[in-house]
Amino acid sequence: EWGRLCQGLGADSKMPKGTDTMFFLRRKDIPRGRKPTYLRIVCAFRPEKENPRCIRFTCGGDKIDYPGEVSTKTCDLVTVKVLINSTLSTLFARFMVGDLKDFYLGTPMDRYEYMRIPVWAIPDFIMHHYNLHDMVEDGFVCVEIRKGMYGLPQAGRIANDRLTKFLEPHGYVPMDITPGLWKHKTRPI
């Protein structure tokens, strides 16, 4: 998770390049008036995955004071059921679902957020690899979050806006009346 969210784990590792979501910085470099949030480590067992023991870092979204709009309109369960039943009951109909891996996580943000990470949560290898020993203050190291990350209240909205801009040149537009449902301008999709 450290390598994925930061700048990788070095040329010798399986993950030489990260996503540049988090960058380490000194506490004094956090802009005035901005309060850093906390790190939440989430562990899960997902037997269907290649590596079933998953660990994810999330932000404490309850401590973030984001001034913009954070809500995203989504379709409700009834809409999903109607769509699936319509497909199943239509002769020769086809249905497709896509998963844009890390699209949500890779969304660049115009307004960066900040987080404090306790030193006990940072492995020695990461402390050395990123030269963090001099950045420790009161038992914490700070990071600047530059891309969407779980827990950020604005991440879903920013990712949805990005998806809209990405699909529009290909003829896809969100439906006016049914949030979360998209259609093509010229094709019956």
Side-chain angles (χ1 to χ4, degrees), residues 148-169:
M149 186 172 167
Y150 296 122
L152 292 174
Q154 68 271 36
R157 174 66 179 247
I158 295 170
N160 190 65
D161 291 347
R162 181 178 175 213
L163 179 63
T164 302
K165 289 178 187 171
F166 177 78
L167 292 176
E168 189 176 31

Side-chain angles (χ1 to χ4, degrees), residues 59-75:
C59 297
D62 59 326
K63 300 290 184 197
I64 293 177
D65 185 24
Y66 184 73
E69 184 66 43
V70 296
S71 65
T72 302
K73 295 179 181 178
T74 59
C75 61

